[in-house]
Amino acid sequence: MSATNPFAFPIKVVPEDIDFMGHVNNARYLNWVQDAVLAHWNKLAPAEEVASKAWVALKHEITYRKPAFLEDDVIASTVLEHFKGARAFYSTVIKRREEVLAEVKSSWCCIDAETLRPARIGEHMREFFFPDSD
């Protein structure tokens, strides 16, 4: 079960992203994935869920395909593939136009914003993230 449409997150490559080899430093891609996943949650989840929950990364598996450079127009397209318990599993593709720059599989733990302990993602959240599935 996965969301019907990827969430598109535009990225502006800034001078601080560039490493000694003249392209975006590999570590920045992980920041972009985090920004895209959090923006996706913040856009689709109800305000009370956004306010009461936070996210920590558990695992990133990234495959780099091509480098990105300063002034590139980059988009991170992220999809929530599924969630179970307190865990959410995302797939993100980072592109420059039609060129795939990186592909990332990541897992995240939902935590209670007050206690900082894992928080189960309620079944009621399916209607917001998977509206076409029954």
Side-chain angles (χ1 to χ4, degrees), residues 59-118:
K59 180 180 178 180
H60 296 295
E61 182 180 311
I62 186 164
T63 303
Y64 297 99
R65 301 282 181 204
K66 295 186 177 196
F69 302 96
L70 190 62
E71 306 298 325
D72 278 351
D73 289 322
V74 177
I75 299 281
S77 297
T78 193
V79 172
L80 174 60
E81 292 183 334
H82 67 280
F83 61 82
K84 181 176 181 175
R87 292 185 180 200
F89 301 86
Y90 274 86
S91 177
T92 304
V93 177
I94 299 171
K95 288 183 170 182
R96 173 182 49 235
R97 293 175 296 285
E98 296 304 312
E99 290 180 289
V100 174
L101 305 179
E103 298 164 308
V104 185
K105 296 284 189 180
S106 57
S107 60
W108 301 81
C109 182
C110 181
I111 61 172
D112 181 285
E114 278 188 35
T115 67
L116 303 182
R117 295 183 53 87

Side-chain angles (χ1 to χ4, degrees), residues 13-25 68-70:
V13 179
V14 296
E16 296 80 34
D17 295 335
I18 306 302
D19 65 15
F20 72 97
M21 294 180 6
H23 56 68
V24 172
N25 184 283
F69 302 96
L70 190 62

